[in-house]
Amino acid sequence: MVKQKRENYAVIGLGQFGSAICQSLVDANQEVLAIDIDEEKVNEFTNIVTRAVIADAQDEDTMKELEIGSFDHVFISIGQNIQTSIMATLLTKELGAKDVICKAENESHARVLEKIGADQIVRPERDMARRIVFHHLQPNIVNYLMLSDQVTMAEVKVDNPNFVGKSLNELAVRNTYHINVIAIKTEGKVNLSPDANDKLRLNDLISVVGYTTDVNQFNEDAQSSSK
């Protein structure tokens, strides 16, 4: 097993999202500095993270003292105070942070964060809503990751009898659906280099990547024709 790299993280804002980030990083054995202006929230993490500090993320002197620019990754998860989020992001980037991940409340907030240098922007509520709707509309897709607005990587379950016993070549997966098969999981065993002559079995999980519309079409066809 490959040993997970240990890095240092700063999490600014200990609301629901920031708290979940902190806990997940601690569970992954990472070094975590938790920052919030609310003493009560900071106290909750004193015995959980590497260090928990009461601080104003808009205060340049304080952020310099905490050496925020030296962290491998900085999460800015400040909630509804958009101005504070923007100022904290701007200051963190100016102090040299290499990777700044920001939570945005809405599209306008996200655009501003992007313009001032945020390296990654997340909108948890929107992303969760999309996942719920996607799974509702595409129940046979077990897992998926949207690589962009148009490209999706997904794990599709095969339960269409017309697919069972046929090879990728016989199904003409690439020519018909314009997707790439990157792995096939059969009864817990993963084939990371699927061959065109590999035959599919009932309940196989096929990892594919392609345009979302093509992945959706493949998913529909891979479902049982009786549904």
Side-chain angles (χ1 to χ4, degrees):
M1 181 181 292
V2 178
K3 188 175 181 180
Q4 191 169 28
K5 182 180 179 182
R6 186 175 172 89
E7 297 184 297
N8 53 16
Y9 293 78
V11 180
I12 300 174
L14 299 177
Q16 190 172 17
F17 180 68
S19 296
I21 292 292
C22 280
Q23 190 60 62
S24 296
L25 290 171
V26 169
D27 291 344
N29 195 35
Q30 301 299 307
E31 295 183 9
V32 182
L33 168 65
I35 302 170
D36 200 286
I37 201 168
D38 187 322
E39 182 178 0
E40 186 175 341
K41 290 180 179 179
V42 172
N43 288 339
E44 291 177 8
F45 281 88
T46 300
N47 297 320
I48 298 176
V49 298
T50 311
R51 185 184 178 194
V53 177
I54 304 167
D56 181 355
Q58 300 179 92
D59 188 310
E60 183 173 356
D61 291 336
T62 301
M63 291 297 102
K64 283 181 178 178
E65 288 180 14
L66 293 172
E67 298 181 334
I68 204 71
S70 68
F71 283 79
D72 296 313
H73 312 279
V74 179
F75 282 91
I76 297 180
S77 53
I78 296 170
Q80 296 179 350
N81 193 331
I82 292 176
Q83 180 178 337
T84 301
S85 166
I86 292 170
M87 292 304 297
T89 302
L90 186 61
L91 181 57
T92 300
K93 290 301 295 184
E94 287 181 346
L95 293 176
K98 300 182 292 292
D99 183 33
V100 180
I101 306 101
C102 301
K103 176 189 175 185
E105 291 296 308
N106 51 51
E107 190 62 36
S108 296
H109 186 193
R111 284 201 299 269
V112 173
L113 291 172
E114 183 178 8
K115 286 183 180 297
I116 63 176
D119 298 284
Q120 184 179 346
I121 299 165
V122 295
R123 294 176 59 188
E125 293 84 358
R126 182 203 62 178
D127 295 342
M128 180 56 70
R130 284 182 173 179
R131 291 186 69 87
I132 291 171
V133 171
F134 192 94
H135 280 299
H136 179 74
L137 296 176
Q138 307 287 349
N140 252 42
I141 290 184
V142 180
N143 291 304
Y144 85 99
L145 174 66
M146 296 191 73
L147 301 178
S148 73
D149 290 339
Q150 296 181 319
V151 179
T152 297
M153 182 166 63
E155 190 176 50
V156 177
K157 182 179 179 181
V158 175
D159 61 7
N160 185 343
N162 294 325
F163 275 43
V164 176
K166 291 187 177 179
S167 68
L168 298 176
N169 190 43
E170 288 173 317
L171 292 170
V173 172
R174 181 172 293 181
N175 291 333
T176 303
Y177 300 100
H178 314 293
I179 59 175
N180 290 311
V181 176
I182 56 178
I184 300 176
K185 186 176 182 179
T186 304
E187 297 179 349
K189 296 181 179 179
V190 181
N191 177 4
L192 294 175
S193 301
D195 186 85
N197 295 317
D198 288 342
K199 295 185 182 295
L200 301 181
R201 300 183 185 180
L202 185 65
N203 296 324
D204 271 358
L205 297 178
I206 306 178
S207 296
V208 300
V209 62
Y211 286 110
T212 303
T213 52
D214 294 328
V215 171
N216 289 346
Q217 185 60 58
F218 176 72
N219 171 60
E220 289 179 14
D221 290 353
Q223 294 182 46
S224 174
S225 57
S226 64
K227 290 184 179 179

